[in-house]
Structures are given as structure tokens and as C-alpha cells.
Amino acid sequence: MVPSAGAGLAITDPSTDRLWEVLFCPFASRGTTVRSSEQGVLSRKRGREPRLEMGDPQGNLCTDAGVGDLVTEKCLVASKGPARRVQLACSGQYCAFPLDGNALCVWNTDDPSYQPLTLRGHHEPITAVAFGNAVSPLLVCSASRDYVIMWTLDECRQKALQGLTPRGVVMGTLLGKVLCLRLSPDDRAVAVCAGKKIFMLDTESQSTRAELEGHRGAVTAAEFCLWQTHLIISVSEDRSFKKRVFPKVWDHHMGSLIYNSSVLTASPLLSLLIDAESRQLVTGCANGQLWIFSLVEGHHYRCVTRVDLKKKSESFFRRVESRLCSLPEEGQRVCTDGLEKGEEVEASLPVLGLGPCDLSLVLPAECGCLPSENTTCLWIGSSAGLFIFNLANFELEAVLHYKDFRSSSIQVAGSCAVMSKVGGEKAVCLLTSLCGCKIALLEIYAAALVRSQRGHNAGRDLSVLPRAHVLSTSPLYFRPAEENRTQPAPQRQSAMRSTIKDQPLVFHSKVRSSGYASTPHITLFSPKTNTRSSGDRSLPRRDCHRGKEYPLESSPPTKVHKQRVIAHGPVAVSCVQYSGDGRWLACGLANHLSLVFRADLTGTPAVFSGHDGAVSTVCWSHDGRWLLSTSRDGTLRLWSLRGAELALCVGKDVFSKPARSAQFYYIDTFILLSSGPELQLLKYHVATCRDGIQRYKQKSRCKGVFRLPTTGMTEITSLSAVNDFYSYLVLTAGRNRTLEVFDLNAGCSAATIIEAHSRPVHQICQNKGSSFMTQQHQFYNLFATTATGDGIKLWDLRTLRCERCFEGHPNHGYPCGIAFSPCGRYVASGAEDRHLATVSLDGKLQLLVADN
């Protein structure tokens, strides 16, 4: 390093005897640029900052090539040889990649105009690069067929500034073609994946600790477990006739195999990532699929879910388009600068790289009632673009295609490495071209990208708790005082009562018979008196039976308390529901009956018979006096708990199509039901006559006061609304996999969520709370949905997006029900293996199993 005539320093590269000069350019916004003394050509392109194109033998290097507000191409390097299918490396401040085949180039991502550091020592092309985990000293490891070399970055830079040749430490020689390098969390060991073996090398003694054998194909990726550092997980490919892929778990201290999974896919696995927060393993394969496994103790490496990136990307763009179309006209604009939608999606999206993504500063404002620190995201780099994937709900948060940005130098990537910077606002991505020798460094504004592809005002005005008074034009508007007021008697009836009142009363000591004694006795009415009763038929009123406060910190049940045989023979229980006070349990059976048990399943149940089909829905009234049931026979019946008597029956003549779901609504003011594609609101009156003869006359009545069709006239498969307090919102699920929110105060549809599940939703369950428990008001906006074969999804009304997704319980062919706990912290679900799955909402995923 010698002083230069000018404002800068001249640095000579002793390996090439070429002079490099570092100058402070007055027009450069980032301080310095690098210029070659041979062919430095300064150029200015349209609408961009001046940049420096270097025509040196090492390649053409360009800086500050802006391509939009979301993505900036910081630099571009043209190498002599291709660098596709090579493991690249990115850290918080640096990125490393092979240059000209056997040279290692280290670039400063914070200031790309700063001089790159070129490290030479390999004779064969470099195939894998990896950074260490310690900040100081920062290590970088490179591997080729001849050497595995460990470099200390600070020492190498100091030697370069002194004019000396940086040198590394050779860790291994002639190990074969290395596809992956990975350093242990403490940087004391490095895993070298060469061929079918994994060599565990000691960084201090430069010796081989162990050789892990067992794969039948070339090992493509490996990762250390962060909380169990003695474990390492690897994947490989077997390019035999069947092309099988086997993930394996090793104990590299003992050199033994712990776990070997079954066949996953016919395509080779290319990438691997372990998330310490969610304790999950994510691996990507060449056909664009992600496999996610649980590493929680006791889960035995079970597969949580499998994600197809192509299908997820198509669904994501449809939802984005749906949100944009629902905005006002001034808001219907392109959501990303430089993004041109409309081109076809790639046939396959091979997962080339995985990296952590920090969106904790973006998500808290969107989902305030759920802890954002437990929402883990990751970057997915493919040949066609970048994806931000949310591990909490298994959905895409943002999609970025290379070809949508015309100014990008690389349209199809051959290798990819991506890493979020500190704070999560930005990320750096290192790409190599698939059909060329270009290497590009991109800076991505991750927070702005996510916000641009998300509806900002979606659901902001929606809340289960009402925020305004009932409108006078609303179907919910009624006057209880006028309805309950005694109607004036007709004039003729009043005159008759007046005449009778004016006549004197005569009392006779004997009354002559009218002749009824001579006629035979005929029984006019035969009341049903053989109904089995539990002996205690007192009304379950909440005010007379006040339970104790529900403990907040109680854990969900894990043991069977009591079992009860419902019926003799194969009779299915189609629906169950507890009463609001927790004293009674109603069950709807497939044999046309409804039973009401005590909560502890003791005593003889009350039997409600009258349906001609399987009972599909049972629902309690708010005061606990009435039970509502619907059946496949198309009728709706309202039962009185006193004597198990029928109080109201609504037949097929009232509904255009059979009633599928029904419930009490607006604190027992209405009956809410679904009939085909319509949502109907019924106003009912139940006669409570206690006379022995008059009670057989049907005086109860109901009438439809409002009906509202769904968008697209799709059949409603499930509905849910709050009855414990006044609420205007009703949630419905359609046969076309759409969720729709209705505002009955305004009498219209308020929001629509398309493609909520991969199959039609068969149940919507709201967090309605309990009279024994107090929750924060924002938790009432949570609701869960479930579909056969698609797990459980937790939604927030304020964001209209899935916040959590729970999978792992077998639910492939039978519609299993779900329910919220009274505290709102757990969701329970049935499973096809006769187990009960319980998941926690306020933290990490927990799977508690109880035998049926």
C-alpha cells in the first residue's frame, strides 16, 4: 500500500501486480468507488447515478444500479466461469462467492463500493462457501475438490492492506466434490458434505473428528441443531432408478445415526434450515416443495405439513388481486413499483436457498392480539424469485419475481443466498445466473415489500364488539316495549265482557246434569307420560346456579375423566354443545334423536325425538331454557327443556332449501340460519301456556325478517355469530372455499376472504368467551376454521388474514370438529386416530394428546 497522488490510497495486488486505487468520488452517494488503473470507464445511464464499469480481467463490476424502490441491484460481477449450483454465503455484513472459478471474493454488503477482498489458494473451482457464527473473529470457509480452507476475515484484510497475500488454514485435502459446508454454533467444527459422506473437521486441530456414512446419494445440505449442538441433520439425493431422498439425524460426537426418515419425494432435496423459535426443520426440494418437520421433544420428527410453492404463489396473487379490487378506485393501483403482474408462473420453483427473515417490526401492528415474537418467517430463494414464508400460518407474506423487474441483470438464478439485516427492514440477496457468468448482489426492502402486497385497510372497521348504535334501517332494529305491549281487545269482545260484568251472580245449591254422564267416556288427549326423566328437571338458569371463576392458568385436560355409552349400536354423535352455565351437555345423534346430559355425564339423559333425519346442529339459548336443533330432514325444531317438549317446528315450506346450520342470535332475539346460498334471520315467539289442553295447540310462531345471499350465490357450509352479547357480525363459509363476513347492522356483506382452505370449510368457531372468564376485547375478534385435510387456521377479523395454522393431527377424510377453551388460549380438535389435539394460541405450538 503506497500513497497516491490525489485524494486516496493506491493498493497493489501482489498476485497480479496490478494497481488498485481507492478514491473518494464527489458524485458517489456511498463514499468510495473502486477503480482499476488499466481500464476504468465511467458511465452515466438514463435516470441513474453515475457508476463505474470495470473492464479488468477479473470481470465487469457495477455499483448502485437501482431497479426500483423495493429492490436495488447493488453490484454486478461478471466472472470468467459459471457459478451455478454453488453454495453461496451471506452474513449480516458480508457476502462471499466464487470468482473466476478458484478465487473467493468477499464483499461488504453495508458498503458495496468498498474494495472487495479476493482470497486465492484453491486450484480447483470452489463449490461451497460458508460463514462462521461468531462475530469476532469472523470465519469464512471455502471448499473445492482439492482443499477445504478456513479463512479469518480480519487477518486477511489486514494482510491485504499491508500488501501481503492473505493465507488460510487448510482443513482437509482431496475429500471429493463438496456440495455443502456448515460450521457448528461455536465454530469449533465444520461439516463437509462430500459425496455420500459427511466429514466432521476440527477447526482447532485441523483433524477429522468423524466420518458419517449411511446416505445412498450425494449429501446436498446439512444443518446443526442450535439447542442440541451435538446433533446434525442432513439430506441427500439417490440418483438411482427410484430417486429416493432420505433425511437423517446424526450425533456427530458419537458418530452414530439417530433417525432415518422414510421416502419423502422423488426430487432431490437442495436446501435445509432449522428454526430455533418454532423448533421446526424446513427442507426444500427441486420440484418446488417445502417439507416442514417438528423437532419438539416427543414429536418424533413428525411431518407437520408439505407446501407447494407454485400453488401458494398462485393463490397469493389471487388474494392480492382480490384485495386490490375491493379497494376504492383511488386505491386500485399497482402495489409494487416495477412489479408487472400477468406473466405466467414458472413450471417449477426449485428451492435453492433458505434463510431467516425478521418481520417482527412489521407484523405487530397488524396482529396485535397475538405475540409477534413467535411469528417466524423465512426467505425462500428459487430460480424464479424470492418468497417470504410465514411458519406460523404456512402462508406467503410476499413474492418477488426476478423477471418482473426489467432492470435486473439476472432473470433466472442458478444459486441463491439470502439473509436479513439487523432490524429486519432490509435484506441482502446474492444471486448467480443459471445460463451465464453473472453474479449480482441485491438489496431488498423487506418491510416495504410486505406492506405493499398487503391490504392496509382490510378489516380495520370490523369488530365483533359493536362500535355504533343500531341503525333504524337495520334488520336488527326492534322495539321490545311495543311488541310486548298488550294489544287492545276487539270492540265486540269488549262489549260482551261489559255485559257479563253488569249481570248479578246467582249461586245454586244444586246443578242439574247436562246429559254428559249418559254418553260413553272418550279420551280426547293422551299426553306422553312415559318419557324417561333424570328426576331433576329444574331449569338450568344462570342466575340460580353461579359457578366459580374459571382459572386463567389452568392447562387443558390430558386424561379421560368419564366415558358414557350414548346408544347401543353404531350410532354417530354428529354435534355436541355445552350450555352457557356449563351444567348441561346436548348431543345430536345420527339416529334422529337429541340427548341432554348433565355435564358430568351422570343420570338419565333427556330425550328429544321428532326429527326424521340425522341431527346436524344443536344450540342452546342464552338463558338456557331452549334447545335448537336442525336435521337433514330439512326442519328446524325448538325444544323446551321442561318436559323435553317441542315448542316450535319450522318445516320445509319456509325454507327454499334445507336448513344446514342454525343458532340463536342477538341474545335470543332472532334465530339465525343458513338455507342454501342464503343467510336468513327469523323472528320467533314461543307460547308458554301451561294449561293441560291448550298446550297441545301450536301457538308458537316465527317469520322471516331478513335474508341475504352470499357473494356468487355459493352454498353456505357453516356459520357462526355471537349470542352472549349484542354483535352485528356474522361469519359464513361457502362451498367455494370462501369466508364471508356479513354486517347485519348495515344489512350487507362486509368482507370476503377467498381460498381460505384447500377444501370447503366445514366448521367456523369463534372465540365467544365465557360468563366465567374475562378476556381482552381484541381476543373476541379471533375465529378458527377447519377443513378436511387442511388443518386448523386461526384468523383475525381486523386483518382478515390467517395468523396461525395448526397441522399434524390426522384429518384426511372425516370432518372433525373444533372448539375454543373458555379462556381463549387453546383450540381443541378431534382427530381420525381417536385422539384429542389441543394447541396453544399464545405461544409455541403444543400438541397434547388424550386417549378417546
Side-chain angles (χ1 to χ4, degrees):
M1 180 175 64
V2 295
S4 173
L9 293 177
I11 302 177
T12 302
D13 188 352
S15 61
T16 58
D17 293 331
R18 297 182 63 251
L19 182 65
W20 289 82
E21 187 176 15
V22 181
L23 295 178
F24 289 90
C25 301
F27 51 79
S29 61
R30 286 176 170 79
T32 63
T33 59
V34 182
R35 186 175 65 185
S36 171
S37 59
E38 292 183 356
Q39 293 177 338
V41 182
L42 184 64
S43 66
R44 179 187 297 269
K45 291 197 175 182
R46 292 177 297 176
R48 299 182 185 174
E49 297 179 357
R51 68 180 185 178
L52 199 60
E53 296 182 353
M54 298 167 46
D56 57 281
Q58 291 189 358
N60 296 332
L61 187 147
C62 311
T63 59
D64 294 336
V67 293
D69 296 335
L70 300 179
V71 180
T72 303
E73 191 176 84
K74 305 299 291 184
C75 67
L76 177 66
V77 177
S79 179
K80 290 182 178 179
R84 58 181 179 270
R85 299 294 185 255
V86 174
Q87 181 191 6
L88 309 176
C90 284
S91 67
Q93 188 178 359
Y94 298 95
C95 65
F97 53 90
L99 183 64
D100 297 336
N102 57 0
L104 178 64
C105 184
V106 181
W107 198 274
N108 192 320
T109 59
D110 290 341
D111 192 359
S113 61
Y114 190 71
Q115 178 190 1
L117 179 63
T118 304
L119 306 175
R120 301 182 183 274
H122 292 277
H123 301 289
E124 297 287 338
I126 297 175
T127 57
V129 184
F131 279 104
N133 298 291
V135 178
S136 180
L138 180 59
L139 303 178
V140 58
C141 186
S142 59
S144 63
R145 286 183 178 272
D146 52 0
Y147 299 125
V148 176
I149 304 178
M150 186 71 68
W151 312 83
T152 303
L153 197 58
D154 294 338
E155 295 180 2
C156 293
R157 186 167 294 280
Q158 290 295 329
K159 290 184 178 181
L161 292 176
Q162 295 172 7
L164 302 177
T165 301
R167 299 187 182 275
V169 179
V170 177
M171 304 293 298
T173 58
L174 302 177
L175 298 180
K177 184 178 181 180
V178 179
L179 297 181
C180 178
L181 289 173
R182 196 65 63 193
L183 276 76
S184 62
D186 55 4
D187 290 346
R188 293 185 178 181
V190 56
V192 181
C193 303
K196 302 178 182 180
K197 298 181 181 180
I198 302 176
F199 297 90
M200 302 301 302
L201 306 181
D202 194 304
T203 58
E204 297 179 356
S205 62
Q206 294 87 45
S207 60
T208 302
R209 289 185 179 182
E211 294 184 14
L212 307 179
E213 299 183 69
H215 283 290
R216 295 185 294 175
V219 182
T220 56
E223 282 284 346
F224 286 89
C225 186
L226 299 180
W227 60 94
Q228 292 178 321
T229 56
H230 65 283
L231 296 182
I232 183 172
I233 302 176
S234 61
V235 294
S236 71
E237 60 180 13
D238 188 349
R239 298 193 177 274
S240 61
F241 179 74
K242 295 183 179 179
K243 295 184 181 179
R244 296 181 176 179
V245 181
F246 297 92
K248 295 180 182 290
V249 181
W250 309 84
D251 187 340
H252 64 84
H253 287 177
M254 303 296 295
S256 59
L257 178 64
I258 297 178
Y259 176 77
N260 183 12
S261 78
S262 59
V263 178
L264 295 183
T265 176
S267 301
L269 298 178
L270 304 178
S271 54
L272 196 63
L273 182 138
I274 296 178
D275 182 68
E277 293 293 333
S278 60
R279 299 291 178 94
Q280 290 179 341
L281 166 69
V282 184
T283 179
C285 57
N287 62 355
Q289 291 186 349
L290 285 179
W291 293 79
I292 302 177
F293 298 86
S294 176
L295 300 181
V296 177
E297 191 71 23
H299 285 190
H300 307 292
Y301 306 99
R302 64 178 179 85
C303 180
V304 178
T305 187
R306 178 174 59 91
V307 178
D308 191 318
L309 277 183
K310 180 182 177 181
K311 294 182 180 179
K312 283 290 183 181
S313 179
E314 295 172 351
S315 176
F316 175 80
F317 277 116
R318 283 194 293 266
R319 287 197 297 268
V320 171
E321 184 179 1
S322 175
R323 286 195 294 264
L324 291 177
C325 293
S326 63
L327 293 176
E329 293 184 0
E330 61 272 10
Q332 295 183 6
R333 59 178 180 84
V334 179
C335 61
T336 56
D337 298 332
L339 179 62
E340 298 180 4
K341 184 187 174 298
E343 298 189 7
E344 55 183 295
V345 184
E346 295 293 329
S348 62
L349 300 172
V351 182
L352 303 178
L354 299 171
C357 180
D358 184 13
L359 292 181
S360 59
L361 299 179
V362 182
L363 296 180
E366 304 293 338
C367 49
C369 57
L370 295 176
S372 60
E373 61 271 9
N374 295 319
T375 304
T376 306
C377 297
L378 58 89
W379 284 99
I380 302 175
S382 71
S383 59
L386 297 175
F387 307 85
I388 299 180
F389 185 73
N390 196 328
L391 286 177
N393 55 16
F394 305 137
E395 296 290 342
L396 292 177
E397 297 290 344
V399 177
L400 180 65
H401 286 145
Y402 308 135
K403 62 182 182 181
D404 291 332
F405 292 86
R406 301 303 183 187
S407 301
S408 177
S409 302
I410 297 179
Q411 302 295 323
V412 181
S415 299
C416 176
V418 61
M419 175 70 70
S420 292
K421 290 188 175 182
V422 179
E425 290 288 334
K426 298 181 181 180
V428 291
C429 177
L430 189 61
L431 297 176
T432 63
S433 59
L434 180 62
C435 302
C437 302
K438 296 180 180 180
I439 303 173
L441 177 64
L442 306 180
E443 185 180 63
I444 306 167
Y445 293 83
L449 178 63
V450 172
R451 293 190 184 102
S452 64
Q453 297 183 356
R454 178 182 298 180
H456 297 282
N457 298 324
R460 289 298 185 182
D461 297 331
L462 298 179
S463 176
V464 172
L465 299 176
R467 297 178 178 176
H469 298 288
V470 181
L471 302 177
S472 58
T473 58
S474 171
L476 304 179
Y477 184 78
F478 66 97
R479 298 181 177 86
E482 295 182 3
E483 293 184 0
N484 296 332
R485 185 181 302 170
T486 303
Q487 298 293 335
Q491 184 176 3
R492 181 179 178 182
Q493 184 177 0
S494 301
M496 184 183 301
R497 290 180 179 178
S498 177
T499 303
I500 297 176
K501 182 178 180 181
D502 295 338
Q503 298 296 328
L505 297 178
V506 179
F507 295 93
H508 300 275
S509 58
K510 294 181 180 182
V511 178
R512 185 177 179 180
S513 175
S514 59
Y516 286 108
S518 61
T519 60
H521 180 73
I522 301 177
T523 303
L524 297 180
F525 299 96
S526 178
K528 188 176 181 180
T529 58
N530 58 349
T531 302
R532 291 180 295 178
S533 175
S534 60
D536 183 9
R537 199 53 62 95
S538 59
L539 295 179
R541 302 186 65 88
R542 294 188 179 186
D543 51 359
C544 64
H545 184 82
R546 181 71 177 177
K548 61 181 181 179
E549 186 83 8
Y550 184 87
L552 178 62
E553 301 299 331
S554 62
S555 58
T558 58
K559 296 182 180 180
V560 177
H561 176 69
K562 187 179 180 59
Q563 289 183 340
R564 181 70 182 265
V565 177
I566 300 298
H568 298 286
V571 178
V573 179
S574 56
C575 52
V576 293
Q577 190 180 48
Y578 275 102
S579 60
D581 54 11
R583 297 177 59 194
W584 307 95
L585 175 65
C587 304
L589 307 182
N591 60 356
H592 313 171
L593 298 180
S594 298
L595 305 180
V596 173
F597 293 88
R598 290 181 178 271
D600 56 359
L601 299 181
T602 60
T604 304
V607 181
F608 299 81
S609 62
H611 282 293
D612 294 330
V615 179
S616 57
T617 303
V618 290
C619 178
W620 291 93
S621 63
H622 178 69
D623 56 9
R625 299 172 56 193
W626 311 99
L627 182 67
L628 186 68
S629 65
T630 60
S631 172
R632 293 184 180 179
D633 60 2
T635 62
L636 180 147
R637 294 175 183 264
L638 183 63
W639 309 88
S640 173
L641 231 63
R642 182 181 296 275
E645 296 177 351
L646 179 64
L648 177 64
C649 179
V650 183
K652 302 178 183 178
D653 53 342
V654 179
F655 312 125
S656 58
K657 291 187 178 181
R660 186 181 181 94
S661 302
Q663 68 165 78
F664 291 97
Y665 177 60
Y666 217 63
I667 314 185
D668 298 344
T669 306
F670 303 97
I671 293 178
L672 184 68
L673 61 91
S674 63
S675 175
E678 289 185 342
L679 184 70
Q680 297 190 16
L681 202 63
L682 303 181
K683 194 73 171 63
Y684 67 98
H685 169 72
V686 179
T688 57
C689 179
R690 298 180 181 274
D691 186 85
I693 296 179
Q694 296 295 330
R695 66 188 178 93
Y696 285 93
K697 297 181 180 180
Q698 181 65 270
K699 290 188 176 182
S700 301
R701 62 185 183 275
C702 73
K703 65 176 181 178
V705 295
F706 184 72
R707 60 175 57 189
L708 192 64
T710 59
T711 303
M713 296 297 292
T714 181
E715 181 185 1
I716 298 176
T717 58
S718 179
L719 66 84
S720 178
V722 177
N723 186 45
D724 292 337
F725 52 86
Y726 292 115
S727 177
Y728 306 148
L729 299 185
V730 178
L731 312 179
T732 63
R735 183 68 65 182
N736 59 351
R737 301 180 292 129
T738 299
L739 297 179
E740 193 163 2
V741 183
F742 292 93
D743 186 356
L744 294 190
N745 189 28
C748 63
S749 175
T752 303
I753 305 174
I754 65 172
E755 300 185 14
H757 284 264
S758 60
R759 295 184 182 181
V761 175
H762 63 259
Q763 185 182 358
I764 300 178
C765 184
Q766 286 184 267
N767 180 25
K768 302 178 181 179
S770 172
S771 58
F772 305 98
M773 187 67 195
T774 302
Q775 298 184 24
Q776 299 180 9
H777 65 89
Q778 62 265 26
F779 280 91
Y780 291 100
N781 293 315
L782 298 179
F783 67 96
T785 59
T786 180
T788 303
D790 200 24
I792 304 171
K793 291 188 177 182
L794 183 69
W795 306 80
D796 193 336
L797 271 172
R798 297 167 299 168
T799 60
L800 293 178
R801 58 190 302 271
C802 177
E803 302 293 348
R804 297 288 188 272
C805 183
F806 306 106
E807 294 191 13
H809 60 289
N811 180 22
H812 305 293
Y814 190 83
C816 300
I818 56 177
F820 272 93
S821 63
C823 60
R825 296 169 54 231
Y826 301 98
V827 171
S829 171
E832 294 177 354
D833 58 356
R834 300 191 302 173
H835 285 69
L836 175 66
T838 308
V839 292
S840 174
L841 306 183
D842 57 353
K844 301 177 182 178
L845 173 63
Q846 298 178 1
L847 188 61
L848 304 177
V849 181
D851 291 330
N852 186 7

